[in-house]
Amino acid sequence: MMGNPPYKQWLADHPGITLLPFNEAAADEIVINGIDGHNALNTLTAIADALSGKVLIGYAVPYIYGAEMEHPWPTPWGTMPKLDPCDTDSLGEQIQRALPDVKVVKSFVTQEQETVVNPKAIGGGDHTVFVAGEHADAKRTATELLTAYGWSDVLDLGGIVSARGMEMYAGMHSAIGLALGLGNHFGVKVVR
């Protein structure tokens, strides 16, 4: 990620972190997918057995980057990466179809990593985070996790088809972030 210290330095600064192969890391009942969207589907289907019956919270955005893009990632400022899939499908839906025994919940994707786990760092936590998925119990599990992180406004958007909107919002989120300047975190609030 741009602006962050190199991975080896980050790992040295967080000595309590244990790295495991994907299939071993998927041993818990709740798995958070932070694999880049371009590689998430192939990586997750390769460990389908380890994920069976689990709640998988999808945090990935299906950006196309590198050689597949006219402007390789990281993109020049003012140019947004392309999403694939987009409009008629989503990475969340693709993962749910590929892994029917997994309870996929799309969430976190409309926030920066730092604010997902510390929503009160922005506006005292007065902003909204979203969940979507086909399994009510899995969405409750994701909501309980978000509440434990400090979220008080979790909006259930319905079925996994709503992952399309969350993933497409990533471009708007990037545009807002660029307008505010790198390193400025923010949240959005659904006023109702």
Side-chain angles (χ1 to χ4, degrees):
M1 291 186 354
M2 296 186 68
N4 289 337
Y7 179 71
K8 286 183 179 182
Q9 181 61 51
W10 182 90
L11 195 57
D13 293 342
H14 299 84
I17 302 294
T18 302
L19 296 180
L20 298 170
F22 288 126
N23 63 330
E24 290 178 39
D28 288 332
E29 292 180 35
I30 302 171
V31 177
I32 299 173
N33 170 33
I35 301 166
D36 73 273
H38 186 69
N39 293 301
L41 189 60
N42 288 337
T43 302
L44 294 171
T45 55
I47 61 167
D49 289 344
L51 293 170
S52 184
K54 308 274 175 71
V55 173
L56 176 74
I57 300 174
Y59 188 15
V61 177
Y63 284 135
I64 296 292
Y65 56 92
E68 298 88 9
M69 267 189 68
E70 181 180 335
H71 301 284
W73 187 264
T75 61
W77 298 125
T79 303
M80 295 294 169
K82 180 180 177 182
L83 291 171
D84 185 24
C86 186
D87 294 326
T88 59
D89 201 2
S90 68
L91 180 60
E93 290 169 280
Q94 288 181 345
I95 292 170
Q96 186 62 84
R97 285 193 304 270
L99 302 170
D101 296 332
V102 177
K103 298 175 180 180
V104 177
V105 177
K106 193 70 175 192
S107 191
F108 303 0
V109 71
T110 58
Q111 296 294 316
E112 295 296 323
Q113 294 145 344
E114 294 86 352
T115 56
V116 166
V117 297
N118 186 13
K120 292 186 183 346
I122 304 297
D126 187 24
H127 44 121
T128 308
V129 69
F130 308 95
V131 295
E134 298 304 317
H135 306 275
D137 59 327
K139 288 191 288 187
R140 271 191 304 279
T141 298
T143 298
E144 289 168 2
L145 179 61
L146 287 161
T147 301
Y149 287 154
W151 286 93
S152 59
D153 189 10
V154 180
L155 182 57
D156 184 341
L157 298 178
I160 195 66
V161 68
S162 294
R164 296 176 191 183
M166 283 190 265
E167 291 173 7
M168 287 188 283
Y169 168 78
M172 180 65 172
H173 189 87
S174 296
I176 294 168
L178 290 171
L180 294 175
L182 291 178
N184 289 307
H185 300 294
F186 63 95
V188 297
K189 175 75 175 172
V190 176
V191 179
R192 46 201 190 274

